[in-house]
Amino acid sequence: MNTKVTIRDVAEKAGVSISSVHLALSGKTGVSDATREKIRRTAEEMGYQPNMLASSLKRSTRRIAILLPNDIGDNQYYYRPVWRGVHDYLSNINMNLECVELPYDDDGRIDAFSHMLEMVERNEIHGILTVGHMDDRETIPGWKKIRSKSVAMVCISSEHKLCSHICCIQPEYDVIGRTMAELIISRIPRFGSIFLCAGNPGWDAHALIVKGFDDYLKENHCPNLVYKDHSWGINQESYINIVEKLSRPDVAACGSVYSQGTIMLGQALEETQKNGLVYAVGSDLPDITADRLRRSIFNAVIQKNPYAQGYAGIRTLVEYLISSKIPEQKHVYVGSEVVLKSNLVMYEHEQYRYLFF
């Protein structure tokens, strides 16, 4: 296991912020002489070594691998704005930076990962931007090799379980689940059942929203029965299951915790002519979902700000590589927002709003 002392460790030991440690050890103003001396003494006692890689990168080309799902096919509904956020940030910086983009679909996932691994083993990669759920069984041996190289990593959507990372950029999933539950419960009777497209229980990005949803119902003593479908891709079998559950006569509301489920749920609402008869809450806002919100197929949509995750993720990684800047928190939360028909105009035509730390 990598036991190298980090700037975060020094900050915790000295009882100061990470930014104070950075200012003190880089000789910059912004901290008192007493604090500077305390930080320097703590760093020395802990054996902290400054990030020489970051110093050298100021004079040389930095190479970042961007290993994310592609933005076509089923992935377009969530990852198109993620990639747009990445590209928008990169288009506005002026430095020696080379990005190796490795977009993948399910069939090409292992090939993309193997390509990145080869570059890491040749010491050609200084940083990685990826998603947490890339750490599955097939990639475990490779991630262990990457961990031994101490390559800087930033995750978006969910944290990586196999490698240490600077931080994870994500929405507050528990709050999203609770918000979805409150929206639904406030609109249906206590005896009305709820159908939830619950996604992949093995992915935090889905499972934590479901947990927040369930916790809200339990804490508020809601007796409503909840039917769950754990599909996580767009296919005929998943769609048939959604139509079947949505067609139950006791279902008074429905929701989806992920974008692809929202696409199928919207289609099912139209096909079964349940729109207007059940209260429906979706996730994320691609054009097709925005149109269904406009036409009252959905009553509300929770926007998880994928654009902000991409933008903040690549920015965090670049700033770490050039100046060792680390966010104060291990989890950096982007704002999520409830979009209604009344405020949809704020989000149309790709006018994504985002919050930064």
Side-chain angles (χ1 to χ4, degrees), residues 51-207:
N51 187 346
M52 300 308 295
L53 172 63
S55 298
S56 66
L57 286 175
K58 294 177 182 178
R59 301 183 297 274
S60 62
T61 299
R62 288 133 288 189
R63 185 174 290 108
I64 293 173
I66 304 176
L67 184 68
L68 298 172
N70 62 22
D71 64 352
I72 59 179
D74 293 350
N75 288 334
Q76 66 180 294
Y77 304 115
Y78 192 81
Y79 285 100
R80 184 164 292 174
V82 170
W83 279 103
R84 188 176 296 112
V86 170
H87 291 153
D88 281 358
Y89 175 79
L90 293 175
S91 67
N92 289 307
I93 61 175
N94 182 21
M95 59 184 67
N96 295 327
L97 182 68
E98 179 181 337
C99 289
V100 180
E101 296 187 4
L102 299 169
Y104 62 86
D105 57 17
D106 288 342
D107 293 333
R109 184 175 58 88
I110 298 302
D111 288 341
F113 177 77
S114 298
H115 185 190
M116 183 189 73
L117 178 60
E118 290 173 1
M119 291 188 290
V120 171
E121 291 180 318
R122 295 194 298 265
N123 297 314
E124 296 174 353
I125 296 296
H126 304 106
I128 298 171
L129 178 68
T130 190
V131 287
H133 58 261
M134 188 62 172
D135 59 354
D136 56 19
R137 182 179 303 174
E138 294 175 286
T139 61
I140 287 176
W143 284 118
K144 288 182 177 178
K145 293 179 181 179
I146 292 172
R147 183 173 61 191
S148 68
K149 293 287 187 177
S150 299
V151 177
M153 182 187 297
V154 169
C155 300
I156 61 173
S157 294
S158 58
E159 65 179 345
H160 206 285
K161 301 298 194 303
L162 297 176
C163 288
S164 60
H165 44 277
I166 299 167
C167 69
C168 178
I169 312 291
Q170 64 183 70
E172 180 58 273
Y173 293 119
D174 179 77
V175 172
I176 290 173
R178 290 172 177 274
T179 300
M180 184 175 291
E182 183 172 357
L183 285 169
I184 289 174
I185 291 302
S186 67
R187 298 300 183 97
I188 65 174
R190 292 175 62 83
F191 55 82
S193 298
I194 303 167
F195 167 55
L196 188 66
C197 293
N200 188 339
W203 292 354
D204 285 351
H206 298 172

Side-chain angles (χ1 to χ4, degrees), residues 308-322:
Q309 294 178 55
Y311 192 105
I314 190 65
R315 186 180 77 172
T316 300
L317 183 57
V318 170
E319 289 181 348
Y320 174 79
L321 290 175
I322 64 174

